[in-house]
Structures are given as C-alpha cells and as structure tokens.
Amino acid sequence: MSRVYNFSAGPAVLPESVLQEAADEMLDYRGTGMSVMEMSHRSKAYQQIIDEAEADLRTLMGIPDNYKVLFMQGGASQQFAMIPMNLMKNKVADYIITGQWAKKAYQEAKMYGQANAVASSADKTFSYIPDCSDLPISENADYVYICENNTIYGTKFWKLPNTKGKDLVSDVSSCFLSEPVDVTKYGMIYGGVQKNIGPAGVVIAIIREDLITEDVLPGTPTMLRYKTHADNGSMYNTPPAYGIYICGKVFKWLLRNGGLAEMKAYNEKKAAILYDYLDSSRLFHGTVVKKDRSLMNVPFVTGDADQDAKFVKAATEAGFVNLKGHRTVGGMRASIYNAMPIEGVKALVGFMEKYEKTI
Ligand SMILES: *Cc1c(COP(=O)(O)O)cnc(C)c1O
C-alpha cells in the first residue's frame, strides 16, 4: 500500500486512522455481523451511531441547546435553494459575494425572492474579503449570507460581517471544524462534509430553532423543509447512513486530538510553513491579500501558465497530487485540511524549494 500526499480541494484527505477503523469494521460492525452500509437506519446500532455523531459534534462546536443539528443530503449546493425556501419569510435577503459559491447561492436565491448583493470582491478576482463593517443591510432582510471560507480563491472571513441585527447564514463547507466557533453569532451554519469531515453525500446544518418553522415558501417540497428533518431526527427518510458514520469517526478523531482549539493551532502552523515559503520564493507567489488568507486552501501561481502546468506534473510524479488550481482560476492550489499532516506540508515545501532551484 502506498498513500500519496493528497491536496485535493474536495473530496479530500481524511485521517488515516479513521479509514483504518472503517476498514476494520467493514465486514462486521461491532458484532452485528454486517457492515454499517447494510444496516437498517432504524436499528439500535445505527441509532447509536447517529446519536453519538450529533452529541460529539455538539461537544466539539459547543452548540447550544436551542440549535438543531441536521444531517441531510444534496450537498452544499442544495442548501442554496433550501435556505431561501425556508428562511425568506419577507422574501428579502442580503448576499456578500466573495467567490463562486457565494455567487451561486445568490443566483439561486433570486429565484425565490429579492436577493441583494450588498458587497462583492469580484473586481479583483475575489482575492480579498470586502469591508463588511457598515454594509447597506436591507431593513427587512430575512438573513445575511456569506461563504466563510472561499475554497476556490483561498480567502477567509476572519471577522464576521456586521449584519445590523439580521441573522447570519454561513456556508462553512471548506473550514468546517478547522477552528473554534461561536455558534450563537449565526442563525445557521452549514457545509458539505467532503472538504474537511467525511465522504461526499452528507451536508450538516446547524440552525437556531426559531428559524425552523412551517412558514416556508409555497410549494417547498417535504424533503426540502428543515422542519421535516428536525422533527424526525434527520431520519424522515433513509439518511446518508454510511457517510454519517464516517463523519462520526472524524468527530471522535478531533476530540481525541484536543478539539477545535488544538486543530486551529495545528492548522496555523501548517499554513504558516506554506505561506512563509510563498512570501520568500522567487518562483511561486500567493494570490490572496495577506490578511484574508485561508488556512485551508492556499492558491499560488508562478505567473506563467506553462510553468504552472510543468510544476503540477512534476509534483504529481513526486507523490504530491491534486495541486492543480480550480479550472476557473488556473495556477495551483494546495488544500491543507485538518487531516493533512504537517509532514505533508513540509514535504511539499521541500519539493517546491528544490524545484525552484532547477528553474
Ligand atoms: C465544495 C463547496 C460547495 C459545493 O458543495 P457540493 O456538496 O458539491 O454541493 C459549496 N460551498 C463551498 C464553500 C464549497 O467549498
């Protein structure tokens, strides 16, 4: 067996010990004689898996009792519609456009009501986070929407916007569980899990209880109502059972490793190794305004598309894979999520230093 250093933006690297545990339990989950994949979601064994997953997530994030935790399907993209369908009571919402994912959410919301783009960093290819201290927040906005970590462009909101009292809805797909979070600052936090938590197919939403009501836009399908999932413990229908089981293992891995404060310190250490090198390199350059840099997704370029392609090829051959930048921006991107070991980042920088000397 040989494992590579996988810098994929998602689906992405998972902790090796989690994969090993899943492998050990594949044929016989704890004496049940079956895999979790083969198990009724109504069984006692599965109920325990999903209950523990929720409890561990609540512990990790310090989720208050008046927030529901929902495990759903459809990825983060399905939330782009579910959010307006469920939360746009006045049919008005304000969106901050810091990249492609925020833009997609905004465009989707426009189908259901008045979505306003109250700030954007499109003018500089989303390489920074706009000043959000005094935005023209709509008086009757149902919520203010952000994408907190911009997976493609490598920026992060290090300070949440001033929403002037409106509920904040945040897509944290690519920074989920990468640092401690004050859940009370949000009306809703959600993310697809395939970036930092588990296998694609699960989306987790943490929603303040009072936002989950019967009062949804007319025609909202049963499966797209938060209340349906909240009232049924995320098991109105068959949940993405195996995916949730893996998420649960990752929660336990995080708890074993000191929780989110520890994870943040580790992520800062890892990212600093890469950013410090990029700041000193003559060949490679980061593309993002320094103060807005993500700890999770690190885009960089040489400034020459052919050189970028040559580097990606050489890196791949050396066992550093999925470094090609997003198809819309080119260059390179190293995604260094929780499960990327510091050794992987050190080895990548070592490789880049050597490569630079050959140019
Ligand atoms: C990947 C990603 C999405 C889309 O996720 P899907 O699960 O593929 O729908 C949305 N938002 C962010 C921030 C992402 O990184």
Side-chain angles (χ1 to χ4, degrees), residues 320-357:
F320 304 98
V321 310
N322 291 320
L323 280 168
K324 196 164 178 286
H326 190 268
R327 60 196 147 79
T328 59
V329 289
M332 282 72 69
R333 170 178 50 173
S335 295
I336 49 175
Y337 296 119
N338 286 345
M340 171 57 65
I342 197 163
E343 293 75 23
V345 179
K346 285 182 179 165
L348 173 64
V349 167
F351 178 78
M352 289 167 77
E353 282 170 339
K354 257 193 4 217
Y355 184 87
E356 182 171 358
K357 289 203 181 101

Side-chain angles (χ1 to χ4, degrees), residues 4-5 64 157 172 274 292 318 352:
V4 292
Y5 285 124
F157 277 86
V172 299
L274 190 46
D292 299 326
M352 289 167 77

Side-chain angles (χ1 to χ4, degrees), residues 9 74-78 80 101 145 147-152 171-174 190 192-195 202 337:
S77 301
Q78 181 154 288
F80 299 168
W101 296 120
Y145 182 100
C147 176
E148 202 160 325
N149 184 81
N150 296 284
T151 324
I152 296 172
D171 174 358
V172 299
S173 295
S174 51
Y190 80 97
V193 305
Q194 73 273 25
K195 309 288 161 68
V202 183
Y337 296 119

Side-chain angles (χ1 to χ4, degrees), residues 69-88:
V69 173
L70 308 180
F71 295 96
M72 295 175 288
Q73 314 196 38
S77 301
Q78 181 154 288
Q79 295 306 309
F80 299 168
M82 276 180 85
I83 289 163
M85 283 175 146
N86 285 269
L87 305 185
M88 254 191 187

Side-chain angles (χ1 to χ4, degrees), residues 119-186:
S120 167
S121 52
D123 60 335
K124 291 183 181 156
T125 337
F126 301 117
S127 58
Y128 71 102
I129 298 289
D131 177 3
C132 297
S133 57
D134 186 19
L135 297 174
I137 302 296
S138 311
E139 207 152 300
N140 53 349
D142 293 300
Y143 58 86
V144 175
Y145 182 100
I146 60 169
C147 176
E148 202 160 325
N149 184 81
N150 296 284
T151 324
I152 296 172
Y153 301 95
T155 58
K156 163 93 202 296
F157 277 86
W158 289 111
K159 188 170 184 287
L160 294 177
N162 175 5
T163 64
K164 304 189 176 172
K166 305 300 180 195
D167 287 318
L168 181 63
V169 173
S170 179
D171 174 358
V172 299
S173 295
S174 51
C175 59
F176 225 155
L177 305 181
S178 64
E179 59 174 348
V181 52
D182 180 355
V183 175
T184 64
K185 291 194 170 145
Y186 303 80

